[in-house]
């Protein structure tokens, strides 16, 4: 949307425009008596499963409402509420307050504003990521959203922050993992000064062509965005390379997002254990509690010299504290029941967002928010990828992954294991379901084994080491006598763990192959219908596969090592 059309839309105060008609279920413009007799009522735009129409400015031919008219679902002028309107409940449902990171706060605001559907769609910026990621989140699977805070200095009032001509880096990056059962979530911060490998990256150009940006080894993580023409898709690919976790979608914001969202919510409470006066970020606060918005809020999340040992790792902790506080503020009664905050957040959220095509409309953001809205803040964990000082440097400026601590943390995220205690009732149900599934699978291993020469299996690489399918084929044929095995190369899609899919009438072959490879019962996936003669089973090697003859990677840890930093979103922590 251009600046001119955006400006016209902003002249209207959306909180005073639309009223829910309980007879029709539509939002309608509230007109004065004379205008209402002359003009038809106008329903607010409906959500649609198809791509939204281009945004349009409000029609000059439709008069505005009386000042003081209530927003959708609210009360008018102190009078009696309309029966059947369901005001508070509708507004809560529409707001879809989410959790975890700045992105989820943005989603929560965006999903609320049904009545400004086209206008809000026009606020969004959409990037074609040229096939990076999974193609979009799915309702019946775990969700991984990459939230990128760029240090790009665009926007009024941001020119004074460092390099005003910077194209922007991945300055703050959070991989937000939402559990498959939607009971919990993990927000993994990735340090910007982490030394990593950036893979080759296809990027869409303004003329519609695709350019392949060469990768780089031994460089800072934050250069995965902006540098050499890299876009957010490059950062998504870098995260996959670094963590083994494929990202579904991304959301990106710049400095303005912190300022506008903190102001829209009415300020974000923070607590300091000491006085702070940081010349670089311009943060100057006294010890104690404060409510920050606008420039002060931005200074708080930007400061590197106010807290801890003045490192980027301590700044990450400060940002996590700020995001947790913002989530608590948005979940508060004061925010949920305030029409002014409701609509201000919708505007601020959508204007701040750059997303991929999979999230490029209010409909799609609403779908995502629906998946996230019921996660309790106490079941959201902030953590940081464990790192060590770079041993190759005399003057310590960068960091490298601490594999001892990072490996179990990443295994837990990949294995969809909560880092915090979920509701006991939910946990008990999950444990019961897991026990039942394990018992059924163990029963699958009871029975006859087919002769090695009768085992037919097609081997795919779905995330194992490079060349794993070929290596496994040779091993099965030459070492185990399974001459009817075949190599099918890379699987159509990645898997989280090695799995063997087979039909009920192939159970004897599956048991023989499981014995040969040492597959656990959890890797066996039996179908419901018998296979035709000579149809092979399907073995897909996952990231837990090392090499044939070697047991799969150990089971996913159920608890984090004590040295891994973590904090829950429901707890207020004072910066120190």
């Amino acid at each position: 949307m251009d600046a001119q059309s955006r400006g016209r839309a902003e002249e209207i105060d959306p909180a005073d425009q639309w009223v829910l008609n309980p007879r029709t279920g539509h939002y309608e413009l509230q007109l004065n008596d004379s205008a209402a007799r002359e003009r038809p009522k106008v329903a607010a735009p409906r959500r649609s499963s198809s791509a939204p129409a281009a945004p349009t400015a409000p029609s000059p031919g439709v008069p505005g409402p009386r000042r003081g008219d209530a927003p959708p679902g609210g009360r008018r002028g102190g009078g009696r509420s309309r029966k059947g309107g369901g005001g508070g409940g509708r507004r809560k449902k529409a707001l879809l307050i989410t959790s975890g990171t700045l992105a989820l706060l943005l989603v929560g605001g965006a999903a609320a504003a049904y009545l400004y559907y086209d206008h809000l769609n026009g606020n969004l910026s959409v990037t074609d990521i040229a096939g990076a990621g999974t193609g979009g989140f799915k309702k019946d699977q775990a969700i991984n959203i990459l939230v990128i805070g760029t240090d790009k200095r665009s926007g009024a009032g941001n020119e004074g922050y460092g390099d005003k001509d910077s194209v922007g880096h991945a300055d703050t990056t959070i991989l937000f993992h939402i559990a498959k059962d939607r009971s919990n979530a993990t927000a993994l911060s990735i340090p910007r000064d982490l030394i990593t490998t950036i893979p080759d990256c296809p990027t869409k150009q303004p003329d519609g062509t695709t350019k392949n940006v060469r990768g780089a080894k031994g460089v800072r993580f934050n250069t995965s965005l902006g540098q050499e023409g890299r876009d957010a898709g490059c950062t998504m690919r870098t995260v996959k390379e670094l963590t083994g976790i494929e990202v579904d979608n991304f959301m990106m914001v710049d400095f303005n997002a912190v300022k506008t969202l903190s102001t829209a919510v009415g300020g974000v409470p923070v607590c300091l254990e000491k006085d702070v006066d940081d010349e670089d970020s311009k943060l100057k606060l006294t010890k104690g509690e404060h409510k920050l918005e606008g420039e002060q809020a931005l200074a708080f999340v930007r400061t590197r010299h106010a807290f801890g040992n003045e490192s980027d790792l301590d700044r990450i902790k400060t940002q996590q504290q700020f995001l947790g506080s913002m989530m608590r503020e948005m979940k508060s009664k004061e925010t949920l029941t305030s029409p002014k905050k409701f609509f201000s957040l919708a505007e601020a959220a959508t204007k701040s967002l750059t997303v991929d095509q999979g999230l490029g409309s209010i409909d799609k953001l609403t779908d995502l928010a629906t998946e996230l809205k019921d996660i309790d803040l106490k079941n959201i964990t902030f953590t940081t990828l464990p790192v060590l000082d770079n041993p190759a440097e005399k003057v310590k400026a960068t960091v490298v992954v601490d594999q001892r601590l990072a490996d179990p943390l990443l295994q837990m995220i990949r294995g969809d294991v909560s880092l915090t205690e979920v509701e006991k009732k939910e946990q008990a149900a999950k444990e019961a379901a897991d026990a039942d599934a394990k018992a059924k699978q163990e029963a699958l291993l009871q029975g006859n084994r087919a002769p090695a020469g009768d085992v037919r299996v097609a081997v795919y690489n779905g995330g194992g080491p490079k060349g794993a399918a070929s290596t496994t084929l040779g091993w099965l044929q030459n070492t185990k006598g399974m001459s009817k095995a075949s190599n099918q190369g890379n699987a159509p899609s990645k898997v989280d763990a090695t799995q063997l899919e087979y039909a009920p009438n192939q159970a004897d072959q599956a048991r023989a192959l499981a014995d040969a490879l040492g597959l656990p019962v959890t890797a066996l996936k039996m179908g419901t219908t018998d296979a035709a003669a000579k149809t092979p089973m399907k073995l897909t090697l996952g990231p837990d596969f090392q090499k044939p003859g070697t047991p799969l990677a150990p089971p996913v840890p159920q608890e984090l090592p004590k040295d891994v930093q973590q904090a829950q979103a429901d707890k207020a922590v004072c910066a120190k």
Side-chain angles (χ1 to χ4, degrees):
M1 173 179 283
D2 59 34
Q4 185 177 3
S5 62
R6 180 179 288 180
R8 287 198 301 270
E10 289 175 353
E11 293 173 2
I12 293 180
D13 181 357
D16 293 331
Q17 301 302 306
W18 299 92
V19 174
L20 178 71
N21 185 332
R23 291 180 291 104
T24 66
H26 295 166
Y27 292 115
E28 300 173 351
L29 281 175
Q30 181 65 52
L31 310 178
N32 59 40
D33 293 340
S34 62
R37 288 193 296 271
E38 297 173 4
R39 300 185 185 275
K41 291 182 178 180
V42 181
R46 288 189 178 186
R47 293 171 55 225
S48 168
S49 59
S50 59
T56 57
S59 170
V62 181
R66 295 189 298 269
R67 301 296 295 178
D69 287 338
R75 294 177 178 264
R76 297 181 55 206
R80 299 174 65 184
S81 62
R82 300 186 181 191
K83 293 182 179 180
R90 286 182 181 273
R91 187 156 54 238
K92 284 186 179 181
K93 182 178 180 181
L95 189 55
L96 293 174
I97 295 299
T98 60
S99 54
T101 68
L102 182 57
L104 299 188
L105 303 175
L106 296 170
V107 170
Y114 297 128
L115 65 149
Y116 255 130
Y117 178 86
D118 283 344
H119 170 66
L120 295 178
N121 271 315
N123 285 346
L124 293 170
S125 296
V126 182
T127 295
D128 186 336
I129 54 176
T134 65
F137 75 91
K138 297 176 177 60
K139 292 180 179 293
D140 58 346
Q141 296 182 14
I143 299 173
N144 293 300
I145 304 293
L146 190 65
V147 184
I148 306 171
T150 175
D151 58 355
K152 189 174 182 180
R153 270 69 175 170
S154 61
N158 295 329
E159 301 86 353
Y161 301 130
D163 181 5
K164 67 177 182 179
D165 298 320
S166 172
V167 295
H169 305 75
D171 194 56
T172 297
T173 304
I174 300 175
L175 177 61
F176 201 89
H177 173 85
I178 301 98
K180 181 178 180 179
D181 64 6
R182 308 298 186 253
S183 67
N184 64 89
T186 299
L188 175 69
S189 294
I190 301 176
R192 67 174 192 172
D193 295 325
L194 174 68
I195 295 299
T196 190
T197 295
I198 299 175
D200 291 350
C201 176
T203 56
K204 285 288 186 179
Q205 304 300 302
D207 62 1
T209 61
T210 300
K211 175 184 177 182
N212 188 56
V213 179
R214 293 287 300 275
K217 294 183 178 181
V219 295
R220 279 179 165 88
F221 175 85
N222 67 348
T223 60
S224 64
L225 177 70
Q227 310 309 299
E228 309 297 331
R230 298 185 181 104
D231 62 9
C234 298
T235 307
M236 292 171 69
R237 289 181 168 91
T238 304
V239 168
K240 171 62 166 58
E241 184 90 6
L242 177 64
T243 66
I245 300 168
E246 193 160 26
V247 180
D248 296 306
N249 302 95
F250 89 88
M251 296 176 170
M252 183 165 64
V253 295
D254 60 15
F255 283 164
N256 280 325
V258 177
K259 295 193 289 186
T260 58
L261 282 169
S262 60
T263 300
V265 79
V268 177
V270 300
C271 173
L272 281 68
E273 289 194 358
K274 62 180 181 180
D275 294 343
V276 170
D277 188 357
D278 180 11
E279 294 183 1
D280 289 343
S281 68
K282 300 180 176 59
L283 180 67
K284 186 173 184 179
L285 295 171
T286 57
K287 176 182 178 180
E289 297 181 355
H290 300 269
K291 206 165 191 179
L292 306 183
E293 60 182 75
E295 294 289 347
Q296 269 196 325
L298 179 59
F300 184 81
V301 299
R302 287 188 65 242
T303 183
R304 294 186 66 179
H305 305 296
F307 307 113
N309 62 5
E310 303 186 9
S311 69
D312 185 55
L313 297 179
D314 281 295
R315 183 172 70 162
I316 287 174
K317 294 178 184 177
T318 301
Q319 292 171 345
Q320 292 174 349
Q321 293 163 12
F322 182 87
L323 291 172
S325 180
M326 182 178 278
M327 285 185 285
R328 293 191 296 275
E329 192 68 13
M330 290 190 71
K331 293 276 256 184
S332 69
K333 180 179 179 181
E334 288 75 14
T335 298
L336 289 172
T337 58
S338 169
K340 181 178 179 181
K341 291 182 180 180
F342 175 88
F343 290 104
S344 294
L345 281 167
E347 285 291 314
T350 52
K351 286 180 181 178
S352 300
L353 268 179
T354 297
V355 296
D356 61 273
Q357 291 174 310
L359 292 177
S361 71
I362 302 304
D363 267 350
K364 293 173 181 177
L365 287 171
T366 300
D367 288 342
L368 176 59
T370 301
E371 295 296 307
L372 312 177
K373 65 185 178 67
D374 293 328
I375 302 177
D376 195 301
L377 291 180
K378 68 182 180 182
N379 292 329
I380 299 170
T381 303
F382 288 104
T383 188
T384 304
L385 185 68
V387 294
L388 300 167
D389 286 336
N390 188 348
E393 296 176 336
K394 291 183 178 180
V395 178
K396 304 304 180 184
T398 62
V399 293
V400 296
V401 174
D402 181 350
Q403 299 294 164
R404 180 181 66 86
L405 298 179
D407 285 349
L409 170 61
L410 295 176
Q411 286 176 24
M412 291 181 72
I413 296 175
R414 290 193 296 262
D416 201 26
V417 176
S418 174
L419 302 192
T420 188
E421 183 179 359
V422 297
E423 292 288 342
K424 293 186 181 299
K425 185 176 181 180
E426 296 173 352
Q427 184 67 18
K430 185 175 185 299
E431 290 175 355
D434 289 345
D436 183 57
K438 185 176 181 181
K440 289 179 179 179
Q441 287 180 312
E442 287 177 343
L444 297 178
L445 290 178
Q446 305 302 316
N448 297 327
R449 269 69 172 163
D454 291 344
V455 174
R456 295 179 182 271
V457 60
V459 183
Y460 294 82
N461 191 344
K466 186 176 180 179
S470 176
T471 302
T472 300
L473 173 66
W475 184 82
L476 289 174
Q477 291 180 337
N478 300 325
T479 305
K480 295 298 180 179
M482 296 182 178
S483 58
K484 294 177 181 177
S486 63
N487 173 18
Q488 300 299 315
N490 290 331
S493 60
K494 305 293 186 181
V495 294
D496 294 329
T498 298
Q499 61 183 34
L500 174 63
E501 300 171 78
Y502 62 98
N505 61 338
Q506 295 173 322
D508 57 344
Q509 296 182 51
R511 296 184 193 107
L513 186 62
D515 290 345
L517 287 171
L519 298 178
V521 294
T522 53
L524 304 183
K525 313 293 180 184
M526 186 174 72
T528 57
T529 59
D530 285 347
K534 298 185 179 181
T535 300
M537 299 180 293
K538 181 180 178 182
L539 174 65
T540 306
L541 307 176
D544 56 345
F545 183 84
Q546 301 174 54
K547 63 180 181 179
T550 300
L552 299 181
V556 176
Q558 298 301 303
E559 292 185 2
L560 276 180
K562 293 182 180 179
D563 293 338
V564 175
Q565 176 264 333
Q566 58 177 311
Q568 275 63 57
D570 66 322
K571 294 181 173 62
V573 179
C574 289
K576 56 184 179 180

